[in-house]
Amino acid sequence: MASEKTDVLLIGLGAVGAVYAFVMQNGGRARVTAIARSNCEAVKAHGLNIKSDKFGNFDAFKPDRVCASVAEAADQPYSHVIVTTKAVPELIQTSDLVAPLLTPEYIDRFPIPTFVLMQNGLNVEANLYETLKKLRPVEEPKIIGTALWTMANMRDGNVVEHNQSDRAVLGVYRTMANYTDNTPEEAALLSTFADILIAGGAHVEIEPEIQRVKYNKNVYNVCFGVIPAITRFPTTAIFYSSHSPEKKQTPTANTDDSLAAASASKTAGLCSASPVIAANTLPWLYDCITEIHALGTTLFPERDAGPAINPNLAADVLAFTSDMYGGGHYAHRPSTLVDVEVGRPTEVEVILGELVRMARREGVAVPRLESVYALMLIIQNQLLCQNREK
């Protein structure tokens, strides 16, 4: 017998939001109300053209209901509220974004839903958790954190391009780290939402300690999101040489003269766009990730099952990314780079700023990350100023 559909609200019909709106609706377990702020009328009139290597091509896809604001959609109960907007706290906090669902009028009529934050960055759940805790002090807020490996871009306002990447890791947000098991209530909370995604063909994993998984994933957002945004070139500019696409570049200069000679041996054999990038940039990236690893071992101590943070994090991340981009066949443009190109404020505070703040609190030296953060703040400040002038 078919499962009864549940009503869900998805806030943010950008590229990733569109993919998951399609997944949930296509799975038949959910009626999807989507908030499309900038493209609401276009989506209502023409829908979205989904071009996915995994899920297929679908023209004129429309969620069951499309609204221009959360306030407009706050006329019915929802089992889940899925937030897929970018986390830019300088513009709006999550609690303010979902405020129409937290008014006395709303929560007197309807149950408070489970909130699912499908956003990049660290501690993006904290603000909403604190707000919900103030509303109902005796209740534990129902917030699901996620780590997503879903690479999609929006083109021309209604064309969603998505490759084969599809991995969603779900976990209950907690204020404390180092949980190794979910309670039966937490397991039920997670499986209920996981089933909605799985029915639509998505790959889903459940993790008892989501902040650790998000921390590991954030390495990619820092190194291959923020850094491309600063350089204005995608990740292929680091790993791919169009002059010899089938060969791995190796340093031709004396590595004793490189800026990161101590780490050069750790990155030998990786693909690179040029010998000087192999001699200098790749070892520097290795050292950046080593700083992230050092902070991670402080935040997430070793467990009975072994290290909470991969001890080979730097080598594994660079090897994986080198293999992905080194052949020149993978052309994904990270969203932080796209944001800078089109003049949108970026997620720098939750991706990189939060790392720097945690490192300072814990007394862990991260000089390379602090330098990248300082440079990215110049770009972010200009984007915020431009946004205020619009």
Side-chain angles (χ1 to χ4, degrees):
M1 189 173 78
S3 298
E4 184 178 348
K5 287 187 178 183
T6 185
D7 283 289
V8 303
L9 176 64
L10 182 138
I11 304 175
L13 205 58
V16 171
V19 169
Y20 282 104
F22 172 79
V23 165
M24 290 188 291
Q25 192 161 303
N26 190 53
R29 299 284 186 90
R31 283 182 298 271
V32 179
T33 296
I35 306 301
R37 292 172 295 178
S38 61
N39 58 347
C40 182
E41 293 308 315
V43 173
K44 284 182 177 179
H46 308 294
L48 294 166
N49 296 328
I50 309 289
K51 300 183 182 298
S52 171
D53 292 342
K54 173 167 183 177
F55 299 113
N57 298 333
F58 299 86
D59 293 335
F61 162 72
K62 296 180 182 180
D64 293 299
R65 184 167 73 136
V66 179
C67 297
S69 67
V70 177
E72 181 185 345
D75 58 353
Q76 66 178 60
Y78 299 99
S79 63
H80 297 82
V81 174
I82 302 100
V83 180
T84 58
T85 57
K86 295 188 177 185
V88 185
E90 305 99 308
L91 295 180
I92 188 169
Q93 294 278 6
T94 305
S95 59
D96 295 324
L97 181 66
V98 302
L101 306 174
L102 303 178
T103 63
E105 294 79 12
Y106 187 87
I107 62 177
D108 284 346
R109 292 176 63 198
F110 308 121
I112 295 178
T114 297
F115 290 92
V116 183
L117 304 192
M118 289 184 156
Q119 297 175 304
N120 289 328
L122 304 176
N123 296 324
V124 295
E125 307 89 352
N127 164 259
L128 180 60
Y129 180 92
E130 292 168 3
T131 300
L132 293 174
K133 199 66 176 169
K134 289 177 182 176
L135 275 180
R136 300 275 176 84
V138 298
E139 295 180 11
E140 189 63 13
K142 294 183 291 184
I143 300 176
I144 296 176
T146 68
L148 301 181
W149 285 263
T150 305
M151 296 184 181
N153 290 127
M154 179 78 77
R155 182 169 55 81
D156 301 329
N158 75 327
V159 178
V160 179
E161 297 176 332
H162 170 239
N163 57 24
Q164 283 280 351
S165 61
D166 167 42
R167 181 188 175 204
V169 183
L170 313 179
V172 172
Y173 173 73
R174 307 184 186 92
T175 56
M176 301 291 290
N178 295 321
Y179 278 73
T180 56
D181 293 296
N182 288 312
T183 67
E185 293 78 14
E186 290 171 337
L189 184 77
L190 293 167
S191 64
T192 298
F193 182 65
D195 288 346
I196 295 173
L197 298 182
I198 292 169
H203 175 83
V204 179
E205 301 170 21
I206 290 177
E207 167 62 44
E209 192 182 4
I210 190 61
Q211 295 304 318
R212 177 182 57 82
V213 179
K214 287 172 67 73
Y215 188 89
N216 280 294
K217 192 263 180 178
N218 195 61
V219 174
Y220 293 91
N221 294 118
V222 171
C223 295
F224 308 117
V226 173
I227 291 172
I230 293 175
T231 65
R232 304 295 179 92
F233 287 97
T235 308
T236 48
I238 301 172
F239 293 102
Y240 174 62
S241 170
S242 59
H243 301 292
S244 53
E246 301 304 322
K247 295 182 179 179
K248 293 187 176 183
Q249 299 290 324
T250 55
T252 56
N254 184 345
T255 55
D256 290 340
D257 297 329
S258 76
L259 298 176
S263 300
S265 63
K266 306 288 181 61
T267 58
L270 295 176
C271 297
S272 69
S274 75
V276 291
I277 288 175
N280 297 281
T281 308
L282 292 181
W284 177 81
L285 282 170
Y286 184 96
D287 290 338
C288 283
I289 301 172
T290 299
E291 290 182 357
I292 298 174
H293 177 268
L295 175 59
T297 58
T298 300
L299 296 171
F300 304 97
E302 186 167 325
R303 307 166 299 176
D304 292 340
I309 301 295
N310 176 9
N312 300 314
L313 184 66
D316 288 351
V317 165
L318 288 176
F320 176 81
T321 312
S322 170
D323 289 343
M324 179 178 290
Y325 288 93
H329 308 299
Y330 196 65
H332 175 74
R333 300 182 73 79
S335 62
T336 310
L337 170 60
V338 174
D339 287 339
V340 172
E341 290 175 334
V342 302
R344 286 192 299 257
T346 73
E347 302 163 294
V348 61
E349 287 299 344
V350 296
I351 290 174
L352 185 53
E354 191 64 13
L355 265 182
V356 170
R357 288 185 286 273
M358 290 192 295
R360 290 170 178 170
R361 285 196 297 268
E362 298 293 335
V364 177
V366 290
R368 294 167 187 82
L369 298 180
E370 288 178 325
S371 296
V372 176
Y373 179 49
L375 293 174
M376 191 63 198
L377 285 177
I378 300 171
I379 298 172
Q380 180 77 342
N381 183 62
Q382 291 301 307
L383 296 173
L384 289 169
C385 289
Q386 293 169 16
N387 183 77
R388 286 192 289 267
E389 293 169 0
K390 290 180 180 178

